């Protein structure tokens, strides 16, 4: 028996609640497929997203429950701060390592759907920042599945659709109003045969095999990163399971640098305060050296604080002012 496209996976980020709501509102009540949705939401966010989807459309929707069976004609929504992943016949809802800085991750849903169901999967990338979903679509297409992408020109944030189009041989790029008809069409059509052999890069992209050693470490756990490139798309993964595109690892590193700089401001200001207190309890040259240290470290903290608050480039004078000075005890 030839199986159809009976699993539809949808991923979005910023602007995604409105986009997904508009899309599922036009899906028929007798859709012969289960629908799975990941929209990036911050941790601790109490989500009523399933209720919104159920009220807008004809299909029942709810947050996915770990271990529940997959039933056609239902919408399963990833709960906040947990990955929604598919296994043969059931779903998993787990707090695994973040991917592209997100949990839930679009890539985690797409990848596991492809591994479990092969060419039966229809992947849909909608509006969102950066490029989560591209790696997952590469997995779906590698096993003969279908890739649909929202037209970037109408997306609230075009980054995710643009990245998918740039790196994946997508089947259709369409407006939100056209996507429901495309989904209905592909669900009614038989799935293609699963390719007899996958690109050797796919298991590396999916974390089943190691890629090449990267020159950077994981910005989350400082673990060793490996790298793989497929379709011009570069992906990084550490042994823990944190994964990143090139853009998302750059964004995470920027956050790491900012955290380190604010920690430097705190340490310098605390050290300046301590030096001032020590100056009050000493005399002579030692007192002068502690006062100099207080002034120097206060100036250094002010330079870094200004850099963080304004984003201005350091002048040569600024750079000189934060250069290490000798300890007053030396």
């Amino acid at each position: 028996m030839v199986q159809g496209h009976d699993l539809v996976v949808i991923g979005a980020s910023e602007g995604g609640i409105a986009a997904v709501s508009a899309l599922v509102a036009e899906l028929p009540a007798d859709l012969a497929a289960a629908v799975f949705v990941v929209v990036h939401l911050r941790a601790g966010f109490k989500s009523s997203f399933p209720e919104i989807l159920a009220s807008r459309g004809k299909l029942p929707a709810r947050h996915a429950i770990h271990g529940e069976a997959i039933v056609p004609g239902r919408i399963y929504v990833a709960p906040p701060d947990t990955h929604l992943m598919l296994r043969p016949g059931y779903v998993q809802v787990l707090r695994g390592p973040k991917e592209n800085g997100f949990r839930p991750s679009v890539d985690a849903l797409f990848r596991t759907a492809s591994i479990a169901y092969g060419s039966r999967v229809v992947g849909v990338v909608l509006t969102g920042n950066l490029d989560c979903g591209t790696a997952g679509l590469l997995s779906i297409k590698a096993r003969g599945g279908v890739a649909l992408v929202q037209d970037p020109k109408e997306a609230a944030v075009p980054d995710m659709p643009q990245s998918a189009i740039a790196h994946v041989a997508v089947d259709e790029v369409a407006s939100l109003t056209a996507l429901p008809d495309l989904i209905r069409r592909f669900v009614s059509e038989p799935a293609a045969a699963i390719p007899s052999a996958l690109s050797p890069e796919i298991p590396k992209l999916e974390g089943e095999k190691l890629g090449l050693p990267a020159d950077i470490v994981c910005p989350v756990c400082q673990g060793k990163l490996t790298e793989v490139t497929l379709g011009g798309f570069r992906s990084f993964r550490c042994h823990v399971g944190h994964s990143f595109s090139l853009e998302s690892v750059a964004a995470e590193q920027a956050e790491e640098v900012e955290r380190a700089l604010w920690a430097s401001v705190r340490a310098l200001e605390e050290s300046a305060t301590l030096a001032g207190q020590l100056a009050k309890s000493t005399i002579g040259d030692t007192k002068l050296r502690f006062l100099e240290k207080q002034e120097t470290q206060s100036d250094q903290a002010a330079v870094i604080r200004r850099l963080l608050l304004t984003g201005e480039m350091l002048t040569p004078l600024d750079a000189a002012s934060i250069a290490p000075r000798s300890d007053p005890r030396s």
Side-chain angles (χ1 to χ4, degrees), residues 293-313:
K293 179 178 182 179
Q294 179 186 25
E295 180 181 6
T296 298
Q297 294 192 323
S298 294
D299 289 345
Q300 291 171 336
V303 168
I304 299 173
R305 183 182 289 274
R306 189 177 79 246
L307 171 68
L308 286 163
L309 294 176
T310 68
E312 296 176 356
M313 296 293 291

Side-chain angles (χ1 to χ4, degrees), residues 12 42 50-51 101 124 145 162 172 206 222 244 284 295 303 323:
R42 68 180 182 272
E51 289 79 7
V124 185
Q162 286 174 340
E172 298 280 354
E206 296 174 342
Q222 312 308 311
F244 311 90
E295 180 181 6
V303 168

Side-chain angles (χ1 to χ4, degrees), residues 210-223:
L210 293 177
L212 297 173
D215 294 330
I216 52 178
V217 299
C218 176
V220 176
C221 69
Q222 312 308 311

Side-chain angles (χ1 to χ4, degrees), residues 13 15 26 114 121 136 139 146 165 196 210 228 233 248 250 294:
S13 187
E26 301 303 321
S114 173
V121 179
S139 291
V146 175
I165 293 167
S196 57
L210 293 177
V228 61
F233 182 77
S248 65
Q294 179 186 25

Side-chain angles (χ1 to χ4, degrees), residues 21 57 106 117 119 160 169 178 196 203-204 241 248 250 266-267 285 293 315 328:
S21 299
V106 178
Y117 291 95
S119 60
M160 281 174 53
S196 57
K204 300 174 187 176
S248 65
R266 175 197 55 77
D285 289 344
K293 179 178 182 179
T315 67

Side-chain angles (χ1 to χ4, degrees), residues 35-54:
V35 179
F36 303 86
V37 175
V38 164
V39 173
H40 297 151
L41 298 173
R42 68 180 182 272
F45 179 73
K46 182 173 174 57
S47 172
S48 58
F49 192 27
E51 289 79 7
I52 294 172
L53 297 182

